Amino acid sequence: MSLVGSESNPLRVAIIGSGPAGFYTVNHLLKQTGLQVEIDMYERLPFPFGLVRAGVAPDHQKDKTVARVYDKNARSGHYRFYGCVEYGKNIYLKDLRNHYHQIVFATGAQADRNLGIPGEDLKGNHSATEFVAWYNGHPDYVDHRFDLSQEKVAIVGLGNVAIDVARILCKTAEELATTDMADYAIKALAKSRVNEVYMLGRRGPAQAAFSNSEIKELGGLSNIDVTVPAEEAELDDISQTELERTQDKDKLKNVRTIQEFAHRSQTGKPKRLTIRFLVSPTEIIGDDAGRVGAIKLVKNEAVKGTNGSVRAKATDRFETLRVGLVFRSVGYRGIPLEGIPFNESRGTIENQSGRVVTGDPGEPVVGLYAVGWIKRGPTGVIGTNKTDAKETVACMIEDLHQAKHLTPAHPEIESASALVKARQPQFISYDDWLVIDEIEVVKGQQSGRPRIKFVDVRDMLAVLGR
Ligand code: NAP
């Protein structure tokens, strides 16, 4: 038998998950000189591109242009997309071992974190993840409901997702109507009565997780006055010393932006966004109807943690904010995959530089790899996945050269394809996706929008004649 990766015996790779991390893995594999590779990508949803379609904010279309590179790789002739095929439901590790030399998990971080405080079960308390997936038309979230008749909303967390949620809640109906947001969300947000939004950060302005471009954009929105309580915009001594020492450019820019917001006067715009620092929710308080009525906050002080980081320590000062909706935006979390070693505390697959490992000390599990958020946790921007995938692919190539790969009984493309057809006759191929994509884009062009998304899987299957 010729070497794996040669013309007559191509390297067969399965990638589970079709978001940026999965597609950058395809990209790096295709770039390897002298390597013949045939890639099958499995995706539980009917469409590719993961958070580029279902997570990136609909008013940030530029961030979605990365999908053009993914599309180019998908058309390389060495790639197949199997949409509506779920790992652990339609296809199992045993099957994959039977058809591929290497298997890469790129499943992202699909769950969200709780705050762990009383009142989280109240109606009107949501995760930002749900809201983002809902307005982006993610098929699993179309039936979610958010009571946008409420005027006051609290968003817990100061990351880029929290900013996306705040911006979407604050933009005008006209601004949202030109995006590729799901139609039902455009309609619901047009009727929204939200006019007061609080963003709540547990640490100070120098520790905020948002990017400067994102926070600055909030300050320029047509519809809102942005404000920061003056005393909360000031740096505590520990943060001041730390910032002087590190001269971290991104943090310095954020602090400057926040302090500029604190000096702004209110201009009477229809909505107000208040960014708070050094406060932590301790309870979500219900009203008589069992809905969110308020959020109780404790004031924090900045202290130096054992590892040198600046941490928030609760004081004995409390306050209560009257709000009718709460969105917690405190980070995502990966979910375990059947048969794959998982680190519960980190919410990631156990791995070393992308090689799945097991036991202590970690021993590589031959043929299994991880990439993206399920490998490193939910950090970084889309482009971070490019370097991340490069690292994982480097491990895959090194292992291939040392013949440390699986030895599948049926590495032929047709054999895996026959299995998919048997297990999930309704699977979506990349050509199917291109049909769906074109219909969406053409419909969008007729209304001056980037696309009008299908949000129901049955409608997607119907246009494919299924
Ligand atoms: P994130 O950047 O990790 O931010 C999470 C925020 O939640 C932080 O402010 C964190 O504060 C806070 N937090 C965590 N636990 C908390 C608790 N128990 N109580 C109060 N606050 C708590 O997460 P994310 O916003 O979900 O974003 C995920 C990733 O996607 C990030 O890398 C982000 O940059 C990226 N993203 C990028 C864009 C973009 O580029 N436009 C858009 C969306 C998302 P501490 O810092 O104190 O922990």
Side-chain angles (χ1 to χ4, degrees):
M1 189 65 150
S2 53
L3 276 180
V4 174
S6 61
E7 196 81 44
S8 57
N9 190 14
L11 173 69
R12 292 283 283 133
V13 177
I15 300 178
I16 318 301
S18 68
F23 266 102
Y24 285 122
T25 304
V26 174
N27 184 272
H28 286 295
L29 281 169
L30 293 176
K31 270 194 215 158
Q32 302 298 316
T33 36
L35 176 72
Q36 288 300 312
V37 59
E38 292 295 340
I39 306 162
D40 293 350
M41 185 178 263
Y42 292 89
E43 167 59 61
R44 87 185 171 87
L45 292 171
F47 47 78
F49 309 147
L51 283 182
V52 172
R53 178 174 168 110
V56 170
D59 59 337
H60 277 185
Q61 285 298 313
K62 219 167 92 220
D63 296 348
K64 299 190 184 222
T65 54
V66 288
R68 286 190 208 140
V69 178
Y70 309 159
D71 176 65
K72 195 170 155 219
N73 290 152
R75 295 171 193 248
S76 64
H78 302 285
Y79 166 94
R80 280 145 302 272
F81 178 73
Y82 292 122
C84 290
V85 182
E86 187 170 345
Y87 177 85
K89 187 173 163 198
N90 309 109
I91 201 127
Y92 300 89
L93 187 58
K94 196 163 80 119
D95 305 318
L96 297 174
R97 286 187 196 272
N98 206 23
H99 291 87
Y100 300 94
H101 300 104
Q102 296 182 327
I103 303 159
V104 187
F105 293 92
T107 48
Q110 298 165 46
D112 50 72
R113 294 180 187 275
N114 284 335
L115 292 169
I117 59 173
E120 285 199 271
D121 53 347
L122 287 168
K123 280 201 188 113
N125 173 47
H126 306 277
S127 75
T129 324
E130 281 171 59
F131 188 57
V132 169
W134 172 78
Y135 65 60
N136 274 320
H138 187 305
D140 294 354
Y141 293 82
V142 292
D143 295 328
H144 279 54
R145 294 288 172 265
F146 303 90
D147 181 5
L148 298 168
S149 69
Q150 298 297 326
E151 293 188 4
K152 296 179 196 295
V153 178
I155 304 169
V156 182
L158 288 183
N160 285 328
V161 170
I163 297 221
D164 283 345
V165 170
R167 206 177 57 252
I168 295 299
L169 287 171
C170 290
K171 275 200 163 179
T172 65
E174 294 72 32
E175 286 165 335
L176 297 178
T178 58
T179 69
D180 67 354
M181 178 178 276
D183 277 345
Y184 59 75
I186 292 182
K187 286 191 191 119
L189 284 158
K191 288 195 227 142
S192 160
R193 294 181 62 209
V194 171
N195 58 22
E196 179 96 55
V197 177
Y198 302 97
M199 291 180 69
L200 308 173
R202 63 177 169 184
R203 298 190 287 165
Q207 290 87 39
F210 45 62
S211 312
N212 192 251
S213 53
E214 307 295 307
I215 187 74
K216 267 175 95 169
E217 183 184 357
L218 283 183
L221 292 188
S222 64
N223 208 27
I224 53 167
D225 280 322
V226 180
T227 176
V228 179
E231 67 284 5
E232 292 179 9
E234 288 310 314
L235 288 191
D236 57 88
D237 292 345
I238 298 176
S239 301
Q240 180 75 44
T241 313
E242 193 59 15
L243 209 51
E244 278 165 15
R245 187 183 67 79
T246 60
Q247 289 296 314
D248 183 321
K249 284 199 183 69
D250 296 328
K251 302 288 178 208
L252 281 165
K253 276 200 253 173
N254 278 350
V255 170
R256 254 183 252 128
T257 305
I258 291 302
Q259 294 185 343
E260 188 262 311
F261 288 170
H263 285 101
R264 285 190 183 187
S265 44
Q266 302 296 292
T267 61
K269 289 183 179 172
K271 299 189 184 194
R272 188 160 63 158
L273 171 71
T274 307
I275 307 172
R276 300 284 312 269
F277 294 95
L278 287 165
V279 286
S280 284
T282 57
E283 183 181 354
I284 301 172
I285 302 165
D287 63 12
D288 296 342
R291 294 189 34 85
V292 169
I295 186 163
K296 188 172 176 189
L297 306 177
V298 64
K299 189 78 193 146
N300 296 327
E301 61 185 14
V303 294
K304 197 127 195 176
T306 41
N307 61 358
S309 63
V310 178
R311 295 177 58 85
K313 183 170 173 239
T315 66
D316 55 4
R317 285 177 287 139
F318 292 87
E319 67 178 293
T320 302
L321 273 185
R322 277 172 41 78
V323 290
L325 268 181
V326 173
F327 292 104
R328 62 177 185 283
S329 183
V330 295
Y332 292 81
R333 206 187 135 70
I335 40 185
L337 291 145
E338 202 176 283
I340 310 300
F342 195 73
N343 184 320
E344 279 296 340
S345 64
R346 287 172 47 84
T348 56
I349 289 178
E350 290 283 13
N351 76 95
Q352 281 164 11
S353 310
R355 283 187 182 97
V356 175
V357 296
T358 186
D360 185 17
E363 278 297 315
V365 184
V366 171
L368 303 195
Y369 302 87
V371 70
W373 280 3
I374 198 67
K375 164 187 172 186
R376 69 175 194 277
T379 59
V381 292
I382 293 174
T384 314
N385 293 298
K386 199 170 179 177
T387 30
D388 186 306
K390 193 173 180 185
E391 182 186 55
T392 295
V393 169
C395 293
M396 293 167 72
I397 300 300
E398 193 181 302
D399 292 350
L400 175 66
H401 289 156
Q402 295 179 14
K404 292 181 188 160
H405 53 72
L406 298 166
T407 45
H410 297 288
E412 317 79 38
I413 293 170
E414 303 70 33
S415 173
S417 155
L419 177 78
V420 173
K421 281 181 194 145
R423 296 280 177 80
Q424 172 51 303
Q426 298 289 13
F427 82 92
I428 303 267
S429 68
Y430 200 73
D431 282 345
D432 292 336
W433 155 248
L434 292 177
V435 172
I436 294 168
D437 182 49
E438 192 182 348
I439 296 173
E440 288 188 346
V441 171
V442 169
K443 272 195 189 164
Q445 279 163 353
Q446 290 158 359
S447 328
R449 296 169 59 189
R451 68 172 67 236
I452 295 181
K453 285 180 181 173
F454 286 103
V455 295
D456 191 325
V457 181
R458 285 166 304 187
D459 294 340
M460 295 189 204
L461 292 173
V463 296
L464 296 171
R466 312 268 179 88

